[in-house]
Amino acid sequence: MNADESTFGKFKCGGIDITLDDAAELAKQAGAAIMEIYNSDDFAEKIKDPKADGSPLTEADLAANKIICEGLKKLYPTIPIISEENKAVPYEERKDWECFWCIDPLDGTKEFINRNGEFTVNIGLCEKNKPVAGIVYCPALDPPVIYKGVTASPPAIRENCDDLGGGLGYDSFKAVFPKTFDEADAGLTLVASKSHSNEATEKFMSKYKNPKKISKGSSLKFLMVAEGTAHIYPRMGPTHEWDTCAAQAIVECGGGKVVQDTPAGFKGPALEYNKESGTINPNFVVYGKVTPKKAKGKKKKMTLGGGKGQEAAAGGMSPAVLIAILVALLAAFYASTMM
């Protein structure tokens, strides 16, 4: 859907009018550039030297980053940008930011290099230290799909982006919601990283009863929780703010949670952004709608005349007492008719 045809995703951040579909169009353009490289005959030549932290880098990362950053600067020149592919911004410069874009132009570069299709384009928007909107585009799915959400205006939506999508209008849209569940339920679906599984992740998953385990790359794991095809996604390893920001907003749109891994579980503190310590996230867990089942109350016991241990009923009276009352009422009624 074009921005001028929709009222979806129009909101303010730091006093600035935002139209989310404008940023979504940039995600699609970046996705097109990524797919052109992904499908090229000289694909191997477009993988560049690893970055300083050892993570992979391709021409697709750089091309997508250029499209998104230049587009956002043109649309919203006063809103700063944090991106995986940009130079780090010192905390002294960013500590007073009212809002900022948080971008991963190609989330899942390892999956991109492995050509398994499990990569995304992530554009998130933060106000202070919280995600308030997110766009996650999945250009390699068939058809391509884009997820968009504003936390103040739920729910998030999923839009099919095939050749017919534009002509179908609202028929190409679907609201997405996380599943409601109790952590004590058996058979929960747990999704984990395809490239970064570890012992801590396995230990976390082992506390659930007969879980179904799935592995996925990039922000697809968040999206599975956001649309209810998975219940929980634990991440017990290093990630950066740009890896999580956009998808966190989409999960939270439907009532899910993205919390730091603490003994408090799903009631723990949310993942935060623009931290003084830098862009690295702590371990975290993505939950759908966790709703613990209420424990069944015990029936009261009574010892009225009929002996110990009779169950209470009808406001605290035993069956024997009820029968006695009923007999007395019938006797009174019979006596009144004979007078």
Side-chain angles (χ1 to χ4, degrees):
M1 177 180 294
N2 294 326
D4 57 355
E5 298 174 347
S6 172
T7 57
F8 171 81
K10 295 180 185 292
F11 62 103
K12 286 184 180 290
C13 184
I16 300 170
D17 289 321
I18 306 292
T19 300
L20 198 62
D21 277 337
D22 290 338
E25 287 303 313
L26 294 176
K28 293 177 184 178
Q29 293 172 25
I34 289 169
M35 293 306 296
E36 183 176 351
I37 294 172
Y38 186 72
N39 294 321
S40 64
D41 294 333
D42 58 345
F43 177 78
E45 298 176 15
K46 299 184 184 296
I47 300 172
K48 305 179 75 66
D49 292 334
K51 291 180 279 190
D53 63 359
S55 58
L57 179 66
T58 72
E59 287 188 16
D61 293 86
L62 301 176
N65 189 64
K66 185 173 187 293
I67 290 168
I68 296 169
C69 290
E70 289 183 356
L72 289 176
K73 286 176 182 177
K74 184 176 180 180
L75 290 168
Y76 305 103
T78 61
I79 301 180
I81 298 171
I82 288 180
S83 170
E84 180 176 15
E85 310 309 338
N86 292 352
K87 184 178 178 181
V89 181
Y91 183 68
E92 283 301 312
E93 181 179 337
R94 57 184 169 83
K95 66 180 182 179
D96 296 322
W97 285 355
E98 188 71 19
C99 59
F100 63 95
W101 298 102
C102 191
I103 298 163
D104 191 344
L106 177 49
D107 183 31
T109 302
K110 288 184 178 179
E111 316 309 330
F112 174 84
I113 292 172
N114 291 333
R115 280 181 148 175
N116 63 22
E118 296 184 9
F119 51 86
T120 60
V121 178
N122 299 355
I123 301 177
L125 181 64
C126 281
E127 188 164 20
K128 300 294 187 182
N129 63 350
K130 296 181 180 180
V132 294
I135 298 159
V136 180
Y137 181 46
C138 313
L141 296 185
D142 185 18
V145 173
I146 192 164
Y147 294 76
K148 302 178 285 188
V150 180
T151 57
S153 303
I157 62 168
R158 167 186 171 134
E159 177 188 358
N160 289 340
C161 302
D162 58 354
D163 292 339
L164 295 177
L168 292 174
Y170 281 104
D171 289 341
S172 64
F173 285 71
K174 177 184 176 183
V176 296
F177 300 92
K179 278 279 180 66
T180 299
F181 65 97
D182 185 338
E183 287 191 276
D185 292 342
L188 296 177
T189 299
L190 310 182
V191 61
S193 173
K194 176 164 283 188
S195 300
H196 303 281
S197 185
N198 54 30
E199 185 178 344
T201 303
E202 292 298 324
K203 182 178 179 181
F204 177 91
M205 294 193 293
S206 69
K207 67 184 182 181
Y208 294 97
K209 184 178 180 180
N210 301 323
K212 178 182 177 183
K213 300 179 183 179
I214 298 174
S215 62
K216 285 286 182 181
S218 69
S219 290
L220 294 176
K221 300 179 288 293
F222 279 88
L223 300 179
M224 288 184 69
V225 176
E227 66 182 358
T229 53
H231 297 88
I232 302 171
Y233 158 40
R235 182 56 185 262
M236 305 300 158
T239 58
H240 288 268
E241 292 180 2
W242 47 72
D243 294 313
T244 58
C245 179
Q248 178 172 343
I250 291 168
V251 170
E252 292 178 348
C253 271
K257 289 188 173 184
V258 182
V259 299
Q260 299 173 40
D261 178 40
T262 69
F266 73 93
K267 295 181 179 180
L271 213 54
E272 294 187 339
Y273 295 78
N274 200 21
K275 304 181 292 293
E276 183 175 2
S277 59
T279 61
I280 296 178
N281 292 321
N283 293 346
F284 64 86
V285 184
V286 183
Y287 292 95
K289 292 182 180 178
V290 183
T291 306
K293 293 172 183 170
K294 293 181 180 179
K296 293 181 179 179
K298 293 183 178 179
K299 294 181 179 179
K300 294 180 180 179
K301 303 292 183 178
M302 296 189 67
T303 58
L304 292 177
K308 298 180 179 180
Q310 291 187 327
E311 292 185 356
M317 291 181 285
S318 71
V321 173
L322 287 172
I323 291 171
I325 293 173
L326 182 60
V327 170
L329 289 172
L330 288 172
F333 174 76
Y334 180 77
S336 67
T337 61
M338 298 297 292
M339 294 178 67

